[in-house]
Amino acid sequence: MSDKLASKLDAKTPRYEKNRATLLELLAAMRKEQEAIRLGGGLKAIEAQHGKKRLTARERLALLLDSGAPFYELGLYAGFQMYGEWGGAPAAGVITGLGRIHGKLVMLIANDATVKAGAFFPMTAKKVIRAQTIALENRIPTIYLVDSSGVFLPLQEDVFPDQDDFGRVFRNNAVMSARNIPQITAIMGMCVAGGAYLPVMTDTVLMTEGSGLFLAGPALVQAAIGQKVGAEELGGAAMHAEISGTVDFKEPNDEACIARIRSLAEKLGTRDKSPYDTIPCNAKADAPLYPAEELYGLLDADPARSATNTYDVHEVIARLVDRSEFDEYRPGYGRTLVCGYARIGGHAIGIVANQKQHQTTTTQAGERRTEFGGVIYAESAEKAARFILDCNQSLIPLLFLHDVNGFMVGRDAEQSGIIRAGAKMVSAVSNSVVPKIAVILGGSFGAGHYAMCGKAYDPRFLFAWPTARYAVMSGASAANTLVEVRVKQLERGGHAITNEERQKIYDEIKNAYDAQADPRYGAARLWVDAILDPAQTRDTLIATLEAVSLNPEVAAFNPGAMQT
């Protein structure tokens, strides 16, 4: 019988009410941003798409996915506040995410033709590749809705040549096919130049009448070889269905094409059972004991105060796990990291979470000391490393809940072996073979970000709350460090700095760091897969745990030469 977590959260305190009000205000502002992003190229571009008798990408997805089932959109903020000189690229001109067709979980990748005719910006390619990577790692059937003019030519040098650029998309198509991951592609508009390879490298190809599939359009063909040919004869649906034999299904319009995709997806088979333990979950009986909405008042959403914000991370865990039951691992040791076993939606999970409350502990010498919340000490790093090894031994997926300032520094920390213990934890995370999912709740700074399974450590999914801060260090810490460097440079040049000038330099540096630490800045660059409403975290985790369970293969676990 697992222990039930008792909540001590008081929703009537001024601090809680202030935190809640600040976060709700931030969520409201972000929802407005998201509404604008979901409009793609705007109302005129939507009208133009309708004028071609085509649906928009979001209208297509609404018809394709099961009615009433949630769509877990990934990368919505991709390209946010980028490419301003080109008029912007909302959502990077492509929609990706997890949804259900006849109850089956699938990855969706749909070009948004209202954004620069669905052209590929640098972030478009990276977003498609990220969605394919998730599908590859988790063996998720993938459906592409293609409506794209190809590479955005003014930025071709940043789209075309590199390892994680446009060509990687087609390489991934081939690798996914070789690994028996079903791929269905519907050409529902233009599909030209190098992009024409995407549908043909997938398993099943559909095409609507009025669409075009060719390596070179009529104008380029005439310029290249002097041949005059119409678009329909060159690469129309009838030609590819009846002459070239390239497409498997020719459909009269978007609606018929989507109905055909649903019919095909309904017949997809299932593969080997996942090795990760899952039991039936009743949405009501197995729900957490405490309302998820109470998470709104737990963290301070103000970046100026978030670094010093303290709270008990057990309050978060109690609102994520089934029945608020948690088997805590070594609860009295290394207490600035909380580790333990639970279930989320019936899926077994091991949790590693930064504890933000300060902890009073006893050293090996018998001395009492206070450990700062959100800081990783040698004992907590060693505990987490051992716990991660145990989860790999027992085939239990891992969930990392970030709110970390970094590793402890100073003479006592160095003498305790903090570098050795930290290396042990980073090594365990690096070589872990069970699925890893990470959620950045608050700060995720410096090497603490790495130890908690940051993006470089291959989490299957990485999410952030609006309260997240994501950087080498906080804005205040960076400003305190860099302002002295700037002042000395100016003084060496013979300029005496006034207090007002020093404050101005400090504010400029801090504001720049705070802006870059904002989760929207990271989400724009795909450092995180999505920014979550805290109250929706459990539902998202349940969907992602189902996704990671689609891949039955687990590599042999070899922790390497770990520090001892």
Side-chain angles (χ1 to χ4, degrees):
M1 181 69 179
S2 301
D3 296 327
K4 289 191 182 293
L5 293 170
S7 177
K8 298 179 181 178
L9 187 63
D10 186 352
K12 296 181 180 178
T13 64
R15 174 181 170 180
Y16 177 93
E17 291 176 350
K18 185 175 183 179
N19 286 351
R20 184 177 185 276
T22 304
L23 180 55
L24 289 177
E25 184 178 348
L26 177 57
L27 280 171
M30 292 180 68
R31 288 189 185 106
K32 286 186 178 180
E33 290 172 348
Q34 292 164 10
E35 288 173 7
I37 292 170
R38 289 190 176 99
L39 279 176
L43 296 177
K44 287 187 177 180
I46 292 172
E47 290 175 6
Q49 181 78 349
H50 290 164
K52 298 173 185 175
K53 299 191 182 303
R54 295 176 186 161
L55 300 173
T56 67
R58 293 190 182 276
E59 290 168 342
R60 289 166 177 166
L61 290 177
L63 281 179
L64 179 61
L65 297 173
D66 292 349
S67 178
F71 174 53
Y72 298 96
E73 186 161 359
L74 303 173
L76 175 63
Y77 272 96
F80 180 66
Q81 295 182 344
M82 298 171 68
Y83 311 121
E85 67 274 33
W86 306 106
V94 64
I95 302 166
T96 63
L98 297 172
R100 295 187 185 278
I101 300 178
H102 293 289
K104 298 176 181 179
L105 195 67
V106 296
M107 174 66 75
L108 286 306
I109 301 174
N111 298 115
D112 186 349
T114 71
V115 179
K116 305 296 189 297
F120 272 68
F121 284 74
M123 290 310 303
T124 315
K126 286 176 171 53
K127 183 172 175 178
V128 172
I129 291 166
R130 175 58 183 160
Q132 289 181 316
T133 300
I134 291 171
L136 263 167
E137 290 177 337
N138 301 296
R139 305 296 192 265
I140 307 172
T142 301
I143 295 174
Y144 306 84
L145 305 183
V146 178
D147 194 348
S148 171
S149 60
V151 168
F152 186 66
L153 292 178
L155 296 176
Q156 65 86 25
E157 66 179 288
D158 296 319
V159 181
F160 170 69
D162 212 346
Q163 183 179 14
D164 59 349
D165 286 343
F166 194 43
R168 189 75 171 185
V169 173
F170 318 130
R171 176 265 184 194
N172 286 347
N173 289 139
V175 173
M176 290 168 72
S177 181
R179 295 184 186 174
N180 300 316
I181 302 169
Q183 297 176 89
I184 299 173
T185 301
I187 303 164
M188 308 179 80
M190 290 297 103
C191 185
V192 300
Y197 285 108
L198 185 153
V200 185
M201 295 188 73
T202 62
D203 305 321
T204 306
V205 185
L206 301 88
M207 190 171 182
T208 58
E209 294 178 4
S211 296
L213 171 66
F214 27 66
L215 291 178
L220 184 56
V221 168
Q222 184 173 356
I225 63 174
Q227 185 181 73
K228 292 184 179 181
V229 60
E232 191 63 32
E233 182 184 359
L234 183 65
M239 190 281 288
H240 281 304
E242 300 166 13
I243 299 175
S244 78
T246 301
V247 303
D248 305 310
F249 297 91
K250 176 173 72 85
E251 304 297 342
N253 52 46
D254 283 9
E255 291 83 356
C257 187
I258 289 167
R260 181 77 68 185
I261 296 172
R262 283 187 56 83
S263 179
L264 295 170
E266 188 263 340
K267 299 172 180 65
L268 292 175
T270 57
R271 300 196 181 274
D272 295 340
K273 185 178 182 294
S274 165
Y276 312 114
D277 190 70
T278 303
I279 61 175
C281 180
N282 183 289
K284 291 185 178 180
D286 296 319
L289 300 178
Y290 313 104
E293 290 74 16
E294 290 182 343
L295 294 170
Y296 292 148
L298 194 60
L299 277 71
D300 195 330
D302 186 338
R305 298 189 299 268
S306 61
T308 58
N309 187 32
T310 61
Y311 61 90
D312 186 353
V313 76
H314 292 94
E315 300 287 359
V316 178
I317 297 170
R319 288 160 179 81
L320 296 181
V321 302
D322 295 357
R323 301 174 301 281
S324 300
E325 292 178 354
F326 186 57
D327 297 307
E328 186 163 356
Y329 179 85
R330 299 185 185 178
Y333 182 75
R335 287 190 278 176
T336 61
L337 275 175
V338 172
C339 302
Y341 304 98
R343 290 188 185 273
I344 298 179
H347 300 272
I349 191 79
I351 298 174
V352 180
N354 299 113
Q355 174 59 281
K356 285 291 285 185
Q357 276 188 339
H358 302 327
Q359 302 293 309
T360 301
T361 64
T362 302
T363 67
Q364 291 180 346
E367 299 174 351
R368 301 285 285 175
R369 76 176 183 194
T370 298
E371 294 184 344
F372 299 106
V375 176
I376 301 176
Y377 289 76
E379 296 88 349
S380 47
E382 288 179 348
K383 177 176 81 170
R386 174 65 190 186
F387 177 74
I388 292 166
L389 296 180
D390 286 355
C391 286
N392 278 269
Q393 178 78 357
S394 304
L395 291 179
I396 300 174
L398 285 158
L399 170 64
F400 294 83
L401 301 177
H402 294 220
D403 198 344
V404 58
N405 297 332
F407 286 89
M408 189 58 188
V409 297
R411 182 195 62 195
D412 292 346
E414 297 294 353
Q415 291 181 357
S416 74
I418 186 65
I419 297 175
R420 185 179 69 250
K424 188 184 300 185
M425 182 177 176
V426 171
S427 179
V429 172
S430 301
N431 290 309
S432 176
V433 295
V434 296
K436 297 171 290 191
I437 300 169
V439 183
I440 303 175
L441 311 180
S444 191
F445 298 119
H449 172 74
Y450 302 153
M452 292 296 293
C453 194
K455 186 68 179 288
Y457 293 80
D458 298 324
R460 299 281 183 94
F461 295 91
L462 176 57
F463 302 111
W465 283 4
T467 47
R469 295 293 176 267
Y470 193 177
V472 171
M473 61 180 71
S474 69
S477 297
N480 284 326
T481 301
L482 294 178
V483 71
E484 295 303 323
V485 176
R486 185 83 62 84
V487 167
K488 287 178 181 178
Q489 289 174 338
L490 292 170
E491 288 177 342
R492 282 197 296 268
H495 182 74
I497 301 296
T498 66
N499 289 336
E500 290 78 9
E501 288 173 323
R502 177 185 287 270
Q503 185 63 44
K504 183 179 178 181
I505 294 170
Y506 175 89
D507 291 340
E508 287 176 353
I509 296 171
K510 182 179 181 301
N511 291 339
Y513 260 75
D514 284 344
Q516 292 177 6
D518 188 290
R520 287 166 289 194
Y521 187 92
R525 290 151 183 82
L526 295 177
W527 299 342
V528 299
D529 293 313
I531 300 175
L532 301 181
D533 179 331
Q536 296 173 1
T537 305
R538 174 176 161 85
D539 288 342
T540 302
L541 290 175
I542 291 172
T544 53
L545 284 167
E546 179 183 344
V548 303
S549 296
L550 293 175
N551 184 357
E553 298 177 10
V554 185
F557 179 52
N558 179 3
M562 295 186 70
Q563 290 286 339
T564 58

